[in-house]
Amino acid sequence: MNFDNIKKNVKQALDKFALRIVRKQFCPLCLCERLYYRKHWDISIFTRCHIHNCYLLSTCTKCNSKITFNKVILNNCECGNKLSTSSTTNVENSDLSKLLFQKLYQMETSKIENECLIKLQQLDIDLIIFLILFLSFKISSQLYNLNFAGFHSSIDYIYNDQVISEASSIFLNWPHSFYTFLNEFKQKPKNNRQTG
């Protein structure tokens, strides 16, 4: 195996898909506590607030327009909606978001309660993001029939969270769950493409 090529491919994928450049996301409850943009919200696989156990939002809950950096720091959408008052949906604790937060800010990683992420805890943040992104793209395209960029460009935060949760759960009961995923992946019929 050529590890230089692997590193190059990882870097290219991260440069293209790891960060949210234009469409931003935010936690209304974090904004309510302190009005500033958190850099960990830019990580594309960071879909849940590990502090408030709710989904991060990427659209205005009133007019459904996309969220930008300026809207977040001004706490205001063009429609007049205060983003910090947006309704939230409670979800179970996100150990993946907690792990990413700790790795990003170079904090000592606390014990992860979710056993599916114990293997990931030992990896660098770049590799964690790459693995989850790679598996998310595969799940999105093969199991949900969205094109390669469908997951990354989707504004449906619940769908994105579901795909990311499925990707991270592949590390549960490793390697058996990975083999199960591969079997499901193989059984899905490939798109019938006619060659030119």
XYZ file of all heavy atoms in Angstrom, residues 7-8 14 28 36 42 49-50 52 55 69-70 76 78 89 103 105 107 117 120 152 154 163 165 169 177 179 183 195:
247
model
N -2.619 9.275 2.391
C -2.629 10.573 3.077
C -3.111 11.679 2.151
O -3.857 12.559 2.554
C -1.224 10.908 3.606
C -0.800 10.096 4.796
C 0.606 10.498 5.228
C 1.116 9.607 6.329
N 2.491 9.914 6.693
N -2.691 11.617 0.898
C -3.103 12.621 -0.086
C -4.614 12.556 -0.316
O -5.294 13.584 -0.355
C -2.345 12.392 -1.404
C -2.654 13.400 -2.481
C -1.856 13.088 -3.740
C -2.294 13.984 -4.877
N -1.652 13.635 -6.128
N -10.882 15.740 2.974
C -11.128 16.657 4.085
C -11.227 18.091 3.594
O -12.098 18.848 4.039
C -10.034 16.529 5.147
C -10.017 15.217 5.928
C -8.838 15.187 6.894
C -11.315 14.993 6.675
N -29.359 26.683 18.832
C -30.058 27.841 19.385
C -29.817 28.019 20.883
O -29.718 29.146 21.370
C -31.535 27.544 19.106
C -31.538 26.568 17.986
C -30.276 25.770 18.141
N -22.045 33.933 20.106
C -20.872 33.885 19.243
C -20.896 32.574 18.468
O -21.588 31.626 18.848
C -19.553 34.047 20.014
C -19.149 32.857 20.853
C -18.250 31.911 20.360
C -19.640 32.686 22.141
C -17.871 30.820 21.123
C -19.263 31.596 22.915
C -18.386 30.664 22.390
O -18.018 29.586 23.140
N -18.614 24.126 12.346
C -18.200 24.042 10.946
C -17.870 22.619 10.505
O -17.787 22.351 9.313
C -16.983 24.925 10.687
C -17.349 26.383 10.481
O -18.516 26.666 10.168
O -16.459 27.235 10.615
N -25.634 18.980 19.221
C -24.957 19.699 20.303
C -24.771 18.731 21.459
O -25.744 18.206 21.994
C -25.783 20.903 20.744
S -25.028 21.785 22.131
N -23.525 18.494 21.827
C -23.230 17.561 22.912
C -23.512 18.173 24.281
O -23.543 17.470 25.277
C -21.774 17.104 22.833
C -20.787 18.201 23.064
N -20.560 19.186 22.129
C -20.015 18.499 24.124
C -19.664 20.024 22.603
N -19.318 19.637 23.808
N -26.342 20.422 24.839
C -27.794 20.526 25.025
C -28.571 19.342 24.460
O -29.801 19.316 24.556
C -28.299 21.828 24.392
C -27.696 23.033 25.017
N -26.741 23.805 24.374
C -27.904 23.605 26.228
C -26.388 24.790 25.174
N -27.065 24.696 26.298
N -30.425 18.675 17.941
C -29.851 18.801 16.607
C -29.328 20.212 16.382
O -29.904 21.187 16.866
C -30.911 18.539 15.529
C -31.377 17.120 15.429
C -32.713 16.797 15.615
C -30.493 16.087 15.113
C -33.153 15.486 15.504
C -30.929 14.788 15.002
C -32.263 14.490 15.200
O -32.691 13.193 15.079
N -22.924 32.590 8.288
C -22.145 33.063 9.435
C -22.719 34.370 9.975
O -22.898 34.535 11.180
C -20.679 33.232 9.025
C -19.804 33.765 10.114
C -19.366 32.940 11.133
C -19.421 35.093 10.122
C -18.560 33.432 12.147
C -18.616 35.593 11.124
C -18.186 34.762 12.144
N -23.024 35.325 9.078
C -23.558 36.624 9.515
C -24.873 36.496 10.262
O -25.122 37.208 11.230
C -23.719 37.571 8.325
C -22.378 38.087 7.833
O -21.387 38.053 8.560
N -22.342 38.541 6.598
N -29.943 36.836 13.836
C -31.107 37.351 13.141
C -31.148 36.839 11.706
O -30.148 36.875 11.000
C -31.055 38.888 13.132
C -32.405 39.507 12.913
O -33.430 38.855 13.082
N -32.419 40.767 12.539
N -33.175 37.187 7.865
C -33.831 38.272 7.122
C -35.322 38.366 7.420
O -35.925 39.420 7.319
C -33.659 38.093 5.598
C -32.262 38.290 5.105
C -31.531 36.961 4.926
O -32.097 35.899 5.258
O -30.379 36.995 4.475
N -35.000 20.170 18.705
C -35.477 18.804 18.840
C -34.484 18.046 19.704
O -33.296 17.968 19.373
C -35.586 18.116 17.456
O -36.438 18.904 16.623
C -36.149 16.720 17.587
N -11.371 16.487 20.737
C -10.209 16.377 19.845
C -9.875 17.736 19.224
O -8.710 18.109 19.147
C -10.477 15.358 18.734
C -10.578 13.925 19.198
C -9.223 13.313 19.312
C -9.320 11.823 19.555
N -8.001 11.213 19.708
N -10.445 20.792 20.304
C -9.902 21.745 21.265
C -8.758 21.152 22.088
O -8.339 21.734 23.086
C -11.013 22.272 22.174
C -12.007 23.113 21.408
C -13.241 22.591 21.030
C -11.697 24.415 21.037
C -14.150 23.358 20.311
C -12.601 25.182 20.328
C -13.824 24.648 19.966
O -14.712 25.411 19.249
N -8.533 18.750 24.139
C -8.842 18.471 25.539
C -8.569 16.994 25.803
O -8.584 16.178 24.878
C -10.319 18.771 25.827
C -10.720 20.198 25.503
S -12.502 20.408 25.541
C -12.769 20.577 27.278
N -17.745 4.140 19.721
C -16.731 5.142 19.424
C -15.413 4.910 20.168
O -14.488 5.694 20.037
C -17.273 6.535 19.751
C -18.493 6.927 18.915
C -19.034 8.258 19.369
C -18.136 6.967 17.456
N -12.650 4.737 17.721
C -12.364 6.034 17.115
C -11.607 6.965 18.060
O -10.855 7.815 17.617
C -13.673 6.718 16.682
C -14.423 6.081 15.530
C -15.725 6.819 15.286
C -13.572 6.071 14.273
N -23.694 15.433 1.675
C -22.991 16.646 2.069
C -23.803 17.902 1.792
O -23.758 18.857 2.548
C -21.643 16.730 1.351
C -20.789 17.854 1.829
N -20.685 19.030 1.139
C -20.027 17.998 2.935
C -19.886 19.859 1.793
N -19.475 19.245 2.874
N -27.146 18.075 1.539
C -28.509 18.015 2.065
C -28.717 19.054 3.156
O -27.860 19.261 4.013
C -28.793 16.620 2.623
O -30.048 16.601 3.257
N -27.615 9.478 8.816
C -26.546 8.859 8.030
C -25.250 8.832 8.842
O -24.544 7.821 8.868
C -26.360 9.605 6.688
C -25.111 9.122 5.958
C -27.589 9.417 5.809
N -24.963 8.856 12.110
C -25.139 7.881 13.191
C -24.933 6.459 12.676
O -24.304 5.637 13.341
C -26.523 8.018 13.820
O -26.643 9.250 14.469
N -21.974 3.986 13.827
C -22.353 2.727 14.480
C -21.638 1.525 13.858
O -21.632 0.440 14.436
C -23.866 2.524 14.428
O -24.282 2.223 13.119
N -19.765 -5.622 13.080
C -20.718 -4.671 12.496
C -20.230 -4.154 11.143
O -21.037 -3.863 10.263
C -20.983 -3.506 13.451
O -19.768 -2.916 13.823
N -18.506 -5.976 8.984
C -18.817 -7.047 8.037
C -20.307 -7.062 7.698
O -20.688 -7.316 6.550
C -18.378 -8.408 8.579
C -16.879 -8.533 8.746
C -16.334 -9.123 9.880
C -15.998 -8.050 7.783
C -14.961 -9.228 10.043
C -14.625 -8.150 7.938
C -14.124 -8.742 9.068
O -12.769 -8.837 9.224
N -21.892 -6.671 3.960
C -22.877 -7.590 3.389
C -24.103 -6.843 2.872
O -24.600 -7.128 1.783
C -23.295 -8.647 4.409
C -22.199 -9.678 4.617
O -21.369 -9.903 3.750
N -22.198 -10.294 5.792
N -23.108 1.948 -20.676
C -21.881 2.636 -21.091
C -22.017 3.075 -22.527
O -22.703 2.455 -23.328
C -20.660 1.720 -20.937
O -20.877 0.532 -21.663
C -20.401 1.430 -19.474
